[in-house]
């Protein structure tokens, strides 16, 4: 089943800042329209998020019943989140291919066909150096006028 949804995305990143040797905090919030696809092993969220100065990028978030969350952004960047685990993932941008390690400290998912929330606290390491500490929060609700059974 394909359900139209509204998704509020909030990201909070603490990034190492080599300029001053400290950290820089970046907070971003946006709301997008998308779709939720139900399947036998969980749900998939699909949405297009505008990128500054370019065409929107499609993001797919696979919410598996096993507790694993897989995110694919534009077909070129994939991350796997699993509470208490570290996964090696690949980020590709043009000719650049970088292996990253995604360590998930906390993951809470209450998203169902009726809506809900996904919260993920994770760290991204690039070539064995800490790049950023992040928190991702997605709030999902059926689009206005949508009936879910």
């Amino acid at each position: 089943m394909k359900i139209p949804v509204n998704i509020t995305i909030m990201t909070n990143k603490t990034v190492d800042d080599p300029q001053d040797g400290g950290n820089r905090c970046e907070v971003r919030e946006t709301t997008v329209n998308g779709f939720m696809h139900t399947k036998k092993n969980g749900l998939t969220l699909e949405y297009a998020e505008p990128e500054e100065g370019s065409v929107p990028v499609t993001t797919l978030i696979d919410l598996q019943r096993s507790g694993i969350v897989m995110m694919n952004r534009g077909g070129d960047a994939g991350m796997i989140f699993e509470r208490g685990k570290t996964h090696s993932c690949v980020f590709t941008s043009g000719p650049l291919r970088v292996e990253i390690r995604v360590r998930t400290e906390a993951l809470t998912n209450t998203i169902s066909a009726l809506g809900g929330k996904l919260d993920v606290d994770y760290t991204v390491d690039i070539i064995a150096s800490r790049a950023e500490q992040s928190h991702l929060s997605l709030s999902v609700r059926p689009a206005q006028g949508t009936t879910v059974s």
Side-chain angles (χ1 to χ4, degrees), residues 43-59:
L43 301 167
T44 298
L45 298 174
E46 176 183 356
Y47 61 90
E49 189 175 357
E51 284 289 311
E52 198 171 309
S54 67
V55 296
V57 174
T58 298
T59 298

Side-chain angles (χ1 to χ4, degrees), residues 3 6 8 19 21 26 35 54 77 80 86 90 115 118-119 123 125:
I3 304 166
N6 298 316
T8 300
Q19 298 284 347
E26 301 172 359
F35 294 97
S54 67
I80 300 171
T86 300
V90 175
L118 171 69
D119 281 301
T123 301
D125 297 321

Side-chain angles (χ1 to χ4, degrees), residues 61-74:
I61 301 176
D62 190 23
L63 306 162
Q64 298 182 358
R65 289 203 174 118
S66 64
I68 296 173
V69 175
M70 295 188 293
M71 178 185 289
N72 185 296
R73 187 165 167 76

Side-chain angles (χ1 to χ4, degrees), residues 84-140:
K85 304 259 176 132
T86 300
H87 289 275
S88 293
C89 306
V90 175
F91 174 82
T92 305
S93 180
L96 179 66
R97 184 175 191 268
V98 177
E99 183 176 332
I100 61 174
R101 293 197 201 319
V102 179
R103 184 174 60 249
T104 306
E105 285 90 22
L107 187 150
T108 305
N109 177 22
T110 63
I111 298 174
S112 71
L114 299 174
K117 191 170 184 180
L118 171 69
D119 281 301
V120 184
D121 287 306
Y122 62 98
T123 301
V124 174
D125 297 321
I126 301 173
I127 311 172
S129 67
R130 182 171 166 243
E132 67 184 38
Q133 176 71 36
S134 301
H135 176 85
L136 169 68
S137 181
L138 295 176
S139 296
V140 179

